[in-house]
């Protein structure tokens, strides 16, 4: 049988283990497990298979997370942030919950799309590092593996972003850094407050190259 979604979380220890076990975790805190809001939450869970969903109606769990009304909360590892969606507003449905999760699900490496762009802009990260590359390239799996490994080293400091040149919506981003397809893969780092930036074209993406590039920019 497939894993039950959402997972029922009956105590604080279960909830903490659930959150710490994933890059992005979503918990629905509900007073009543069979409420209309909870059923919309279950519907949302079915739509986003790659994100773990938990559900709790335990007063101890709700109190531990400071929740008083029906709330959907997204926990993300990349910056130890949580985002709350208050469900007491009657028009919150699966559509709105899905959008809330898609916007806020920043990861160690977040793929840049028109929806995640909103979350990237709203994030507390000032430094953004972009790997601009072609996801259809045979070298891509090795590139992303090294990039993710480097992202671990800067967790909480730099938001690592993947920009696939095959997405039409990413053309503006690529041209913003004055890059052409022949120069890829490339790293682009951007400091949001003062818009300072730097670009490095690469023959290969390695943890050392990424680390050196980030450190020299920070210094």
């Amino acid at each position: 049988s497939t894993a039950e979604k959402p997972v029922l979380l009956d105590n604080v220890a279960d909830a903490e283990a659930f959150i710490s076990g994933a890059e992005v975790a979503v918990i629905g805190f509900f007073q009543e497990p069979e409420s209309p809001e909870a059923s919309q939450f279950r519907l949302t869970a079915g739509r986003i298979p790659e994100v773990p969903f938990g559900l709790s109606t335990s007063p101890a769990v709700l109190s531990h997370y400071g929740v008083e009304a029906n709330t959907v909360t997204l926990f993300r590892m990349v910056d130890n942030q949580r985002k709350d969606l208050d469900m007491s507003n009657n028009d919150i449905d699966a559509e709105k919950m899905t959008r809330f999760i898609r916007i806020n699900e920043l990861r160690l490496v977040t793929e840049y799309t028109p929806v995640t762009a909103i979350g990237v802009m709203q994030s507390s990260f000032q430094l953004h590092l972009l790997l601009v590359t072609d996801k259809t390239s045979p070298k891509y799996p090795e590139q992303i593996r090294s990039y993710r490994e480097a992202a671990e080293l800067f967790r909480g400091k730099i938001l690592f972003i993947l920009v696939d040149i095959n997405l039409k919506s990413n053309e503006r981003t690529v041209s913003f850094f004055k890059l052409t397809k022949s120069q890829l893969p490339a790293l682009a780092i951007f400091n949001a407050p003062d818009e300072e930036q730097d670009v490095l074209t690469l023959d290969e993406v390695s943890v050392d190259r990424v680390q050196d590039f980030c450190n020299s920019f920070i210094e």
Side-chain angles (χ1 to χ4, degrees):
S1 70
T2 55
E4 186 65 27
K5 267 191 100 168
V7 178
L8 292 176
L9 305 167
D10 294 325
N11 56 61
V12 172
D14 284 355
E16 288 182 333
F18 180 79
I19 292 162
S20 64
E23 271 200 67
V24 174
V26 175
I27 299 181
F29 298 105
F30 297 103
Q31 319 281 11
E32 293 294 327
E34 299 311 320
S35 65
E37 294 93 340
S39 73
Q40 287 292 309
F41 181 71
R42 289 188 179 89
L43 194 61
T44 308
R47 288 182 176 188
I48 309 180
E50 71 279 18
V51 174
F53 279 68
L55 189 150
S56 189
T57 55
S58 150
V61 175
L62 270 67
S63 158
H64 179 77
Y65 289 102
V67 174
E68 287 171 8
N70 290 342
T71 304
V72 171
T73 300
L74 179 142
F75 297 88
R76 61 188 192 208
M77 190 190 280
V78 66
D79 56 358
N80 291 321
Q81 291 260 353
R82 64 180 267 186
K83 298 281 176 183
D84 292 345
L85 179 66
D86 183 357
M87 298 290 291
S88 53
N89 187 338
N90 293 334
D91 66 354
I92 299 285
D93 56 9
E95 210 59 49
K96 289 189 175 142
M97 272 187 255
T98 301
R99 183 170 167 78
F100 165 77
I101 292 161
R102 288 298 188 209
I103 285 173
N104 290 295
E105 59 166 341
L106 301 181
R107 297 166 181 272
L108 276 175
V109 173
T110 299
E111 181 159 1
Y112 199 73
T113 67
V115 177
T116 60
I118 301 167
V120 167
M121 300 306 175
Q122 293 173 350
S123 82
S124 57
F125 285 94
Q126 297 193 325
L127 280 176
H128 297 169
L129 179 72
L130 287 68
L131 169 61
V132 185
T133 191
D134 177 356
K135 275 181 80 176
T136 62
S137 159
K139 293 182 177 175
Y140 172 73
E142 184 57 35
Q143 290 173 0
I144 196 68
R145 193 189 62 74
S146 298
Y147 194 56
R148 282 185 62 84
E149 210 176 304
E152 288 274 8
L153 305 172
F154 294 94
R155 184 151 83 195
K157 296 182 192 145
I158 300 175
L159 184 59
F160 276 58
I161 298 163
L162 170 70
V163 178
D164 178 18
I165 56 156
N166 299 301
L167 268 190
K168 191 151 180 57
S169 56
N170 285 338
E171 285 173 3
R172 278 179 61 190
T173 307
V174 177
S175 64
F176 175 79
F177 290 105
K178 300 182 174 60
L179 286 165
T180 61
K181 277 192 178 180
S182 63
Q183 293 172 296
L184 303 181
L187 294 173
I189 198 162
F190 181 79
N191 186 40
D194 60 11
E195 297 197 356
E196 193 180 337
Q197 54 171 277
D198 195 11
V199 175
L200 175 70
T201 57
L202 300 162
D203 39 3
E204 65 165 324
V205 179
S206 71
V207 179
D208 289 347
R209 294 294 298 277
V210 175
Q211 197 177 358
D212 290 347
F213 181 62
C214 291
N215 285 336
S216 64
F217 186 82
I218 291 167
E219 282 160 19

